[in-house]
Amino acid sequence: MSQEVETMEMAATETPSLHHVGKEVVVSIQGLQKSFGDLHVLKGVDLDVHRGEVVVVLGPSGSGKSTMLRCINRLEEPTGGKIFFEGTEITSKETDINAVRAKLGMVFQSFNLFPHLTAKKNVMLAQQKVLKRSKEEAERIAVEQLTKVGLAERVDYKPSQLSGGQQQRVAIARALAMDPHVMLFDEATSALDPELVRDVLGVMKEMAKNGMTMIVVTHEMGFARDVADRVVFMDGGVIVEQGAPEEVFDHPKSDRTKDFLGHIS
């Protein structure tokens, strides 16, 4: 048993070569722990994400993937460990977390749009409130971002007039309008009908192509294989294995990774 644990730890600490991403570490997670009462969800997670890198996090339900993501912008307060964003320790009580969140875009499984506002006004709101942009500038950027995600003809539609996939693209446009340095995706396509998933993944692929740093929790294996610079497999609150997509998918080192991939392929 100890030999298997040792093999897993070696696999988890191997860092793949990053040919086309920056050397700068943008997000650094060190010994991250998170408990909910007696439930120990994260048990010492270490992960560095580099500028321009797309990291896709896979794992079974309850493995701690979403909790890790929510700890990065302190939607969940870590129980232990440290998280650094662009060199600032965001787990420190002295850190202005709202200033950090302005640079961290996040897209959730649920769209979280204001039902009474049009797509354009949903994208304008945070720009005006948080970034203090003028109405004219916020509107220009909202239309620009909605056009980028393929919704130029839908800017004045309310969420109820949009499909689930279109609503999720509004949520992505809203995050991008804030000029984030890193984008976090928490199961962004899992609430969508299969035919709508492709459109949202297409937007995410385009963002990756344009050099956006992304941490993506997803069950979309095709996206992970095609777009990720690195795939991270989590189980039981720890990183079991990580590597380039072809390494993890085609030559997994851990039995737990093999078992997981065997069930979904």
Side-chain angles (χ1 to χ4, degrees):
M1 179 65 187
S2 61
Q3 189 174 358
E4 188 197 358
V5 171
E6 195 177 322
T7 307
M8 281 162 38
E9 285 177 352
M10 282 173 61
T13 53
E14 285 175 13
T15 304
S17 59
L18 304 166
H19 298 301
H20 65 288
V21 301
K23 291 202 167 35
E24 180 195 355
V25 174
V26 186
V27 176
S28 181
I29 301 171
Q30 301 174 5
L32 182 63
Q33 308 261 350
K34 177 63 183 177
S35 295
F36 296 95
D38 294 336
L39 185 62
H40 200 177
V41 178
L42 296 175
K43 303 171 182 174
V45 172
D46 296 288
L47 182 67
D48 284 348
V49 178
H50 299 77
R51 180 83 65 195
E53 187 179 14
V54 178
V55 175
V56 173
V57 185
L58 307 175
S61 295
S63 57
K65 312 180 299 292
S66 293
T67 301
M68 177 185 75
L69 215 57
R70 292 171 68 84
C71 283
I72 292 172
N73 60 8
R74 294 232 326 256
L75 288 174
E76 296 291 353
E77 288 293 338
T79 312
K82 294 180 178 180
I83 302 173
F84 293 85
F85 175 71
E86 296 184 331
T88 298
E89 187 196 335
I90 62 174
T91 36
S92 163
K93 300 295 179 206
E94 281 74 55
T95 299
D96 178 357
I97 192 59
N98 289 323
V100 172
R101 282 183 188 141
K103 300 176 193 172
L104 274 171
M106 186 156 185
V107 178
F108 300 87
Q109 184 175 336
S110 53
F111 319 126
N112 299 319
L113 300 177
F114 291 105
H116 63 291
L117 297 180
T118 62
K120 181 172 69 180
K121 287 186 174 165
N122 264 287
V123 178
M124 288 171 63
L125 189 63
Q127 295 184 65
Q128 293 175 273
K129 298 276 188 202
V130 179
L131 301 182
K132 308 300 182 196
R133 285 177 178 157
S134 68
K135 182 180 178 229
E136 293 73 25
E137 188 186 11
E139 185 170 12
R140 177 182 61 77
I141 291 167
V143 171
E144 190 179 290
Q145 293 299 345
L146 286 165
T147 301
K148 277 186 188 171
V149 299
L151 294 174
E153 310 298 316
R154 301 280 191 277
V155 296
D156 292 319
Y157 284 43
K158 290 186 177 172
S160 61
Q161 299 170 297
L162 300 171
S163 70
Q166 289 169 336
Q167 289 183 61
Q168 191 60 295
R169 283 187 277 155
V170 174
I172 293 172
R174 177 179 58 189
L176 289 175
M178 302 296 286
D179 298 328
H181 297 190
V182 175
M183 282 289 291
L184 310 173
F185 290 90
D186 188 11
E187 302 282 13
T189 59
S190 63
L192 301 177
D193 292 334
E195 65 269 24
L196 301 176
V197 168
R198 190 181 58 203
D199 290 342
V200 174
L201 290 179
V203 171
M204 292 167 67
K205 285 180 182 178
E206 194 62 30
M207 290 166 59
K209 204 163 71 178
N210 292 331
M212 176 63 74
T213 309
M214 296 162 64
I215 307 174
V216 183
V217 169
T218 186
H219 286 102
E220 296 293 335
M221 297 301 137
F223 177 85
R225 194 182 269 278
D226 295 346
V227 182
D229 296 298
R230 185 167 23 141
V231 171
V232 172
F233 174 66
M234 288 183 71
D235 193 19
V238 297
I239 292 176
V240 174
E241 185 166 347
Q242 61 178 303
E246 58 273 17
E247 290 171 23
V248 175
F249 286 117
D250 300 334
H251 309 287
K253 297 180 178 69
S254 161
D255 287 344
R256 282 154 78 183
T257 314
K258 287 174 191 169
D259 186 51
F260 175 76
L261 293 173
H263 279 95
I264 57 166
S265 54

